Each structure stands twice: as structure tokens, then as C-alpha cells.
Amino acid sequence: MDTHGPAAEPTVTSPNYPDDGALHFGVGASGSFTFGANGAADAVGFYYGSTAATTYVAADQPGGNATVSYTPQNSGLNRLYVQSADAAGNRSPVHQYSFYVQDTQPRVTVPNETGLGSPVTISFSPTVTGVVSYTYQLDAGPQITVPAVADGTASVSVTPAKYGGHSVSVWSSSPALAKSGVATRSFFANDAPLVSGDVYPDHGSGGGPGVPGTFTLTPRMPNVTGYVYYVNWPFSSDPPISVPANPDGTATFVFTPPTADSYDLTVFAQTADGTLSQGSRDYTFTVN
């Protein structure tokens, strides 16, 4: 009965990702790794993996070598855990092989917030040479490939249809790297209206008691026919005030603060059937 594995840790070498402390190309680029029995004549194969030695490959002969192709999925420090095994399945001590991988995921520029139902431009730029296209995915939607221009960049326009957070994932393709690392960025689609004031700026001060201020409302969702706003809500019992919208969805109203104090306007957009926006705009100012 054989109860002892190969005595020596296996050797690991790679021409693409040597264990030398330097960065090597790159996430999504496969590399060749050769495992050696390190003098253990009873070793007939090897187990390896990035978190534990779980995948088996046979050696070319007892006490011999095996070569595998492995594609790193993370930039920076990567590790392979490798054990040799004998014919009875006993394993050697673990060899931990460390190497460093260059980041290849493209750069992505997207605004933090956009209006619901409004197009948003997302820009891609390369971190590797020779990029010919980008493939992106909005949330769980289809994967769409777009060509890069001569300098390797590209841009797309997407229109979020749902209120809340969204994510876009993208990778680049080039002759040297069919699929780069994947970059993921998030943005928020907000249906709360935009609010601006002439006399009383947001988070500022101005005017005075009895001095009227005009506030302009701009929609950030489709089919807005009006607005509803509260003054110092929910701490005030004052009823909400409705404001009709112009044909283009904008509106204005005049508010005259009675005292020198801080005020908070909470504004919702509204459609013809009375549906309010899920988001609200809080506009805070101080009266001189």
C-alpha cells in the first residue's frame, strides 16, 4: 500500500509569466507554465489552480514534466498552487508560484448621474496597443461590439430606461489580445428634476424676508406635465404645491420666504396620470 506522495515540491517555470517580481503582459493573455517532478520518480501528474491545486494534468512520463496554458484574470500579484501526484493519488507538498500581471482593462469614462430616458455617452480608451474594437454590456443586456477609431478609442450612447443604478462592463480586442481585462463602471439614472434659483442659490444664501425668488424646473424623465413641491417637508404641515409644466417639460414658480431662516424645497416631477418621479430634488437655501 502506497501512502506517501512525492517527497519534493514540483518545479514551476513560465517564459510568459516568470516569477521575477516584474509585471508581464497581461490580464486575458494566456501563458505557458511547465511543471516538473523535481526528482520525484513516482510523480505521474500534477494538480494546479489559482486558489488551490484542483485541476489535474498528466506528466509526459513518470518523474517527467507537464505543460499547461493558463490565462490570468486579475492584474497585479497572481499565484498558482501546484502539487505533483503519484499513481495512487498521493500528493507532494504545495509549490506556490507567484507572478505579476499587467492590467489590460480599458479606461471607461461615464458620468456619475444621468437623467432617466436621456442618452448618456460612455467613452472607452485603450491601455494596450493595437485595439481594434470594444465589447460592452449594459446591466444584463446583450453584448455589443463597436469598432475603435485610429487612436484606439471609441464611444457609445446608451439610454437607461429604469430609475436607479446601472453598470456597464467593457473589454477591448486587439491582434495580441482577443479579450482584455474587463472594466466595470456604474452610474445612476435619476428622474428627479433639476432646480435652479435666481435670488436663492442652492446651498447658498440671498434675498431677505418678503423678497420673492424665481425657481426654474427642468425634467429628467419623459412625459413630464407638471411638478409638485413641498416647503420644509416632512417637518412642515404645509400642503404640497402643484406647478404646471410648459410644453417642453420645464416650469417656473415664485416663492417668497416670510422670515430669515433656512428653507428646503423638495421637488417631484409629475406625469399626466399623476405619477410622481421616484427621485426628488432637495433644494436648500438660507434667507438673509
Side-chain angles (χ1 to χ4, degrees), residues 163-247:
Y163 171 85
H166 297 268
S167 67
V168 58
S169 299
V170 59
W171 62 89
S172 63
S173 297
S174 64
L177 189 60
K179 182 178 180 179
S180 73
V182 180
T184 301
R185 300 292 182 271
S186 299
F187 64 95
F188 194 85
N190 199 343
D191 60 0
L194 299 177
V195 182
S196 62
D198 56 353
V199 176
Y200 301 103
D202 189 20
H203 291 88
S205 61
V211 177
T214 299
F215 296 86
T216 300
L217 312 178
T218 304
R220 299 194 84 189
M221 70 179 196
N223 306 317
V224 171
T225 60
Y227 299 86
V228 174
Y229 74 91
Y230 295 79
V231 180
N232 295 334
W233 178 77
F235 305 104
S236 171
S237 59
D238 294 341
I241 301 171
S242 296
V243 180
N246 300 315

Side-chain angles (χ1 to χ4, degrees), residues 28 122 140 143 157 166 168 281 284:
I122 304 175
Q143 296 178 359
S157 178
H166 297 268
V168 58
R281 186 69 59 184
T284 303

Side-chain angles (χ1 to χ4, degrees), residues 6 11 35-46 59-66 84-86:
T11 60
F35 310 140
N38 196 18
D42 58 341
V44 297
F46 304 89
D60 54 3
Q61 61 183 6
N65 303 320
S84 59
D86 62 19

Side-chain angles (χ1 to χ4, degrees), residues 36-87:
N38 196 18
D42 58 341
V44 297
F46 304 89
Y47 287 90
Y48 70 97
S50 59
T51 57
T54 56
T55 301
Y56 180 77
V57 59
D60 54 3
Q61 61 183 6
N65 303 320
T67 298
V68 300
S69 178
Y70 174 76
T71 303
Q73 301 299 316
N74 301 296
S75 61
L77 176 62
N78 281 245
R79 291 189 174 96
L80 275 183
Y81 298 89
V82 184
Q83 291 175 287
S84 59
D86 62 19

